[in-house]
Structures are given as structure tokens and as C-alpha cells.
Amino acid sequence: MSGLEWVIEAHGCDGRALADLPRLRALFTDVVAAMALRPVGLPMWHQFPTTGGITGLCLLAESHLACHTFPEHQSICLNVFCCHPRPDWDFAGYFKREFGATAVNVRRIERPYIHERESRQLSELRRADQVPLV
């Protein structure tokens, strides 16, 4: 058994959208619903006064969902970690549609729970599938 982690970086985004807290809340709501995640409380948010960038964190029964926006660089980083496998979601399409991203990099990483010496199959699980920039 292993967990799954997605690390998503979107570039060329609309800087105003990245500083829009309701839009980031909607992102979390959409990810939670689409991936059937279970928040254990309300997300926590912090908006930086100088840049308008936002950091968000949602503790999940499955692990966590976090984002960091950089309006001044037109980029957002999203991290989703699940302790149980979940189907992939169209992160690239979402960021292009909702934030105007021109490039999205999605990395899906399997996180095995047993040590390498305990499993001969672990080398296959350690491979991070790189999704090309779109």
C-alpha cells in the first residue's frame, strides 16, 4: 500500500486571480469534491499584505491540501497528499480555465509506506511520473 502526492505548479496565471481569496477557497472546494477528500476542519488562510499572495492549508483525514500563490510571479503551487490512492484529476485543465495558466506542471508521486528492503517492487513505486508542461 502507498499514498499518492500531487505537486502542481502553474505559471502564467492571472495575478489578480492568485490574490483573490474566494477563488482560492473555490479551488479547495473543487479539489475536495472531485477527489472525494474529507476535511477535518475549515481551511486556514494567510494573505501577504505586500504582494497579495495567499497560503492555504486544509487538514484532511487523508493528509493535506496546501497552496501558495505568487501574484507577482503569476504562479501558484498546489500540493495534495492522500494516504490512500485516488484517481488523477485534471489539474492542468482546471488551472488553465480558472486561473488563466499558460503552463502547468503536474507531478504524481507514489509514497510507499514500507522500507525498500521490505519490498522488491518498491523501485517501481518510487518512480515519479512527470507530466509534461502543457
Side-chain angles (χ1 to χ4, degrees), residues 1 7 14 16 24 27 30-31 53 55 64 72-73 82-83 102-103 105 122 128:
M1 184 164 146
V7 178
D14 175 359
R16 290 178 309 258
L24 273 291
L27 165 65
D30 293 344
V31 170
T55 294
H64 70 269
E72 71 276 24
H73 299 295
C82 296
C83 60
T102 58
N105 183 15
L122 194 59

Side-chain angles (χ1 to χ4, degrees), residues 7 11 29 37-38 53 69 72-73 76 112 121 126 134:
V7 178
H11 302 278
T29 298
L37 302 173
R38 298 172 298 151
T69 72
E72 71 276 24
H73 299 295
I76 181 173
Q121 297 173 342
R126 281 234 183 261
V134 289

